[in-house]
Amino acid sequence: MRIPPEEIEINEQLAEFDQWLTAKLERIKDSEKFTSEITSLCDCIRHLAPFLDNFSNAAICQIDQLCHAVVRASDDFFTGKDFFEDESRIAAFYDAFFNLLFLTTGATDNNLKNHFLIKLKEDEVEPLIPKREGRLKTIKFQLSLIPSTTKSDLVARLLAACYVGSRVEYSSHVKTEPVFDLQVYLGVFLKEYIGLILEGSEEVLQFWAICHSYMALNKLSEDIDLGKYLLNSCTIFKVRGSVSASGGHITEDILREKLQAIGLRPELDYNTADVTIGEQEVVEAGKRRRKTRAYDFILPYNIQGWAPKAKLFIQSQFYAGDSGSVSHKVVDQTQSSRRFTLEKYPNARFVEYLDGAGYYAALRGDLAHMLTFSDTASFFQVRSILVRLRREFQTIAYLTPIELEHAVLTSEHCTQKKIIEALRTDGYPEEEIRRAQAVSIELGYLSVEGEVFRIAEERLPIARRLLILDMAALNARTITDVEKNTQKFLLIPGYGANTGILESDLSKAVCDTVKAIPITPFDFIGDIEWLLDEGVMKRR
């Protein structure tokens, strides 16, 4: 069943973009990075507190006492059952402790990564640290030069290995060459690294003040970790950069999930990593340089024998904030990159995957610019993937399992002959129909009983839901503000703002169209709720 083509002007596309905008994908506080960071910081303070008199006074937080407390607290993570598991747990604790120091002092791992060797030289400490080699039955340590760039996670792993290697439980498995005391090296380098971050009395006081306040707050309630709220704001600022940087990857992950849901295969139908198409010589700031050209998605990706048919070349750009310099650069490079692409792939069809609050406000001009390029075939957003991108698949006659399943659902007899006739009427070549059928049967999406096709039970819900969406697209119209306010209409993306259908009309259209299976009122209502939850339909 073909989804109707898009025939709207740029101003209507922009209005639709606004109506189906995903302003941001997640709050920093909702991210996995933030959750793991805040949890490890709180746990670290609680594990250190018993060995520092619960941070009762600042005097007890001097560097020597901190070293002693860290080593004593390491016992909480030690089991003596598996060397490498013990090492991993204690390394995570040390890493959390260093992160706590960074958080409370304002220092950063990135700023200090080149300073550790300088600190050792100033303190006349030879930059040789025990390093474990291999994972054999005998665990061997040798002294190794500390690298010129030293980040906290590396120091945490090296020190954790020293701690575990020094324990009597593993003495029969541990060997040092030459003979040296792992515990001595643990103490020396732990003190040096703490001293690198807590470089003065003010930093020590800052560390103590945060930890003392955390403990004091937690005394106020047995049910709520009030101390966590003290750390929340500074942790948000600490992880903001890495969470923001992952925003584009989140949109790509969302798209891959949708592609998998409609029956596509990773590394065959769609790529799971950026696809490099070559290096282009460009001139920037008066200098010639070679620039790698890559796309976030090329669809279909790696289907044998597809060339020279058209493929979709997709770039993903999600800007929750301004990110102006990045966006402007992307716009400036788009035309050059597309010309280069067309030299290699003359049938390339360019589609933009754009979303985020930045494109609603500060980057509005960039959005309009991208959409008005003569070679921009279309765009889609997070919430319009299942309409706009599937419509692009139909445009290049790329038959996906979901469209094949729809042909079965709308066929009265479900015979191969009838299904092929329906799909050919929709514009798919018979060769592509045969390919899609073979793939669907191989994956278990379809089965054949004689000449009759049957859809696998587990595929029925998604097939039915997207058929309802397609029926809405086929029968939708522009509705008035008065109609929209009645809450009786279901809006869909892909055809401008305020495009929708009366829910009762949609129900009738679906029941009249689906012939292969019965659709109960319970099924229909549940499917509408799913489409609303997915954000691909809305009531206002």
Side-chain angles (χ1 to χ4, degrees), residues 235-263:
T235 305
I236 287 170
F237 282 101
K238 184 175 184 295
V239 304
R240 183 188 299 274
S242 59
V243 172
S244 298
S246 69
H249 297 299
I250 295 172
T251 51
E252 292 171 25
D253 291 342
I254 290 171
L255 177 51
R256 290 188 179 99
E257 288 173 6
K258 296 286 194 294
L259 295 174
Q260 192 166 29
I262 66 174

Side-chain angles (χ1 to χ4, degrees), residues 19 21 32 41 91 141 190 228 237 248 263 290 304 353 375 393 416 434 460 504 531:
Q19 188 167 65
L21 179 74
E32 184 180 343
L41 291 170
F141 283 85
L190 180 59
K228 182 182 76 171
F237 282 101
R290 299 194 69 80
Q304 188 174 7
Y353 182 18
D375 51 6
F393 290 159
Q416 186 175 36
R434 299 285 185 187
L460 275 174
S504 56
L531 291 163

Side-chain angles (χ1 to χ4, degrees), residues 71 75 78-83 86 90 139 141 160-175 181-183 186:
V71 174
D75 295 347
F78 182 82
T79 67
K81 295 177 181 179
D82 184 291
F83 183 100
D86 282 340
I90 292 165
I139 299 162
F141 283 85
C162 288
Y163 171 86
V164 178
S166 70
R167 292 294 298 250
V168 66
E169 288 86 347
Y170 296 116
S171 59
S172 61
H173 301 288
V174 172
K175 180 181 180 182
D181 191 334
L182 289 169
Q183 202 162 29
L186 170 63

Side-chain angles (χ1 to χ4, degrees), residues 315-346:
Q315 293 288 27
S316 172
Q317 307 292 340
F318 188 98
Y319 294 122
D322 184 342
S323 303
S325 61
V326 178
S327 176
H328 301 328
K329 189 175 181 181
V330 168
V331 171
D332 292 342
Q333 292 178 356
T334 295
Q335 291 291 61
S336 172
S337 176
R338 287 181 178 180
R339 284 193 296 271
F340 177 74
T341 303
L342 287 169
E343 291 174 5
K344 291 176 169 287
Y345 305 94

Side-chain angles (χ1 to χ4, degrees), residues 157-443:
R157 290 196 301 272
L158 292 171
L159 294 181
C162 288
Y163 171 86
V164 178
S166 70
R167 292 294 298 250
V168 66
E169 288 86 347
Y170 296 116
S171 59
S172 61
H173 301 288
V174 172
K175 180 181 180 182
T176 62
E177 293 182 354
V179 176
F180 51 82
D181 191 334
L182 289 169
Q183 202 162 29
V184 169
Y185 279 91
L186 170 63
V188 168
F189 284 102
L190 180 59
K191 180 177 180 180
E192 287 294 318
Y193 199 72
I194 294 173
L196 176 69
I197 306 172
L198 301 179
E199 59 180 343
S201 58
E202 187 170 313
E203 283 75 18
V204 173
L205 278 173
Q206 285 173 198
F207 172 78
W208 170 80
I210 293 291
C211 295
H212 172 78
S213 301
Y214 176 90
M215 300 301 293
L217 284 168
N218 275 355
K219 288 180 181 178
L220 301 177
S221 173
E222 294 181 359
D223 302 320
I224 303 174
D225 185 357
L226 293 174
K228 182 182 76 171
Y229 295 98
L230 173 70
L231 301 179
N232 270 359
S233 57
C234 41
T235 305
I236 287 170
F237 282 101
K238 184 175 184 295
V239 304
R240 183 188 299 274
S242 59
V243 172
S244 298
S246 69
H249 297 299
I250 295 172
T251 51
E252 292 171 25
D253 291 342
I254 290 171
L255 177 51
R256 290 188 179 99
E257 288 173 6
K258 296 286 194 294
L259 295 174
Q260 192 166 29
I262 66 174
L264 302 189
R265 302 159 297 171
E267 301 303 345
L268 290 173
D269 295 299
Y270 65 91
N271 52 288
T272 56
D274 292 357
V275 183
T276 300
I277 64 168
E279 287 190 343
Q280 181 183 16
E281 190 175 88
V282 297
V283 178
E284 291 183 352
K287 296 182 180 179
R288 288 188 175 276
R289 54 176 295 197
R290 299 194 69 80
K291 192 168 189 67
T292 299
R293 295 302 188 190
Y295 285 83
D296 296 314
F297 292 89
I298 298 179
L299 306 173
Y301 175 52
N302 194 24
I303 293 178
Q304 188 174 7
W306 184 267
K309 291 182 286 188
K311 289 187 176 186
L312 307 180
F313 286 69
I314 299 170
Q315 293 288 27
S316 172
Q317 307 292 340
F318 188 98
Y319 294 122
D322 184 342
S323 303
S325 61
V326 178
S327 176
H328 301 328
K329 189 175 181 181
V330 168
V331 171
D332 292 342
Q333 292 178 356
T334 295
Q335 291 291 61
S336 172
S337 176
R338 287 181 178 180
R339 284 193 296 271
F340 177 74
T341 303
L342 287 169
E343 291 174 5
K344 291 176 169 287
Y345 305 94
N347 291 321
R349 185 175 172 87
F350 301 107
V351 180
E352 295 296 324
Y353 182 18
L354 305 166
D355 219 332
Y359 279 124
Y360 179 82
L363 308 179
R364 188 61 163 194
D366 291 348
L367 172 62
H369 199 178
M370 294 288 282
L371 298 186
T372 53
F373 285 155
S374 60
D375 51 6
T376 298
S378 188
F379 76 96
F380 61 95
Q381 298 165 262
V382 169
R383 295 177 180 175
S384 60
I385 292 170
L386 294 175
V387 175
R388 284 185 162 273
L389 183 57
R390 286 180 53 236
R391 186 169 60 201
E392 287 300 308
F393 290 159
Q394 294 177 359
T395 299
I396 63 172
Y398 170 41
L399 182 56
T400 65
I402 202 76
E403 311 303 335
L404 189 53
E405 289 158 356
H406 285 179
V408 175
L409 286 177
T410 56
S411 174
E412 190 166 359
H413 303 293
C414 302
T415 64
Q416 186 175 36
K417 181 180 177 181
K418 290 291 185 183
I419 289 165
I420 289 176
E421 285 177 3
L423 291 169
R424 288 185 68 179
T425 301
D426 282 342
Y428 294 103
E430 187 160 341
E431 179 186 12
E432 175 63 3
I433 297 170
R434 299 285 185 187
R435 182 200 66 81
Q437 284 182 351
V439 169
S440 291
I441 291 170
E442 180 185 345
L443 295 174

Side-chain angles (χ1 to χ4, degrees), residues 121-170:
K121 184 177 181 181
E122 289 174 348
D123 294 346
E124 298 182 346
V125 175
E126 194 172 10
L128 292 172
I129 193 167
K131 186 177 181 182
R132 172 182 59 75
E133 293 185 356
R135 299 178 68 93
L136 302 175
K137 187 174 182 181
T138 298
I139 299 162
K140 184 170 67 174
F141 283 85
Q142 291 182 317
L143 294 178
S144 177
L145 274 172
I146 291 175
S148 55
T149 298
T150 311
K151 299 200 76 173
S152 61
D153 58 345
L154 172 63
V155 177
R157 290 196 301 272
L158 292 171
L159 294 181
C162 288
Y163 171 86
V164 178
S166 70
R167 292 294 298 250
V168 66
E169 288 86 347
Y170 296 116

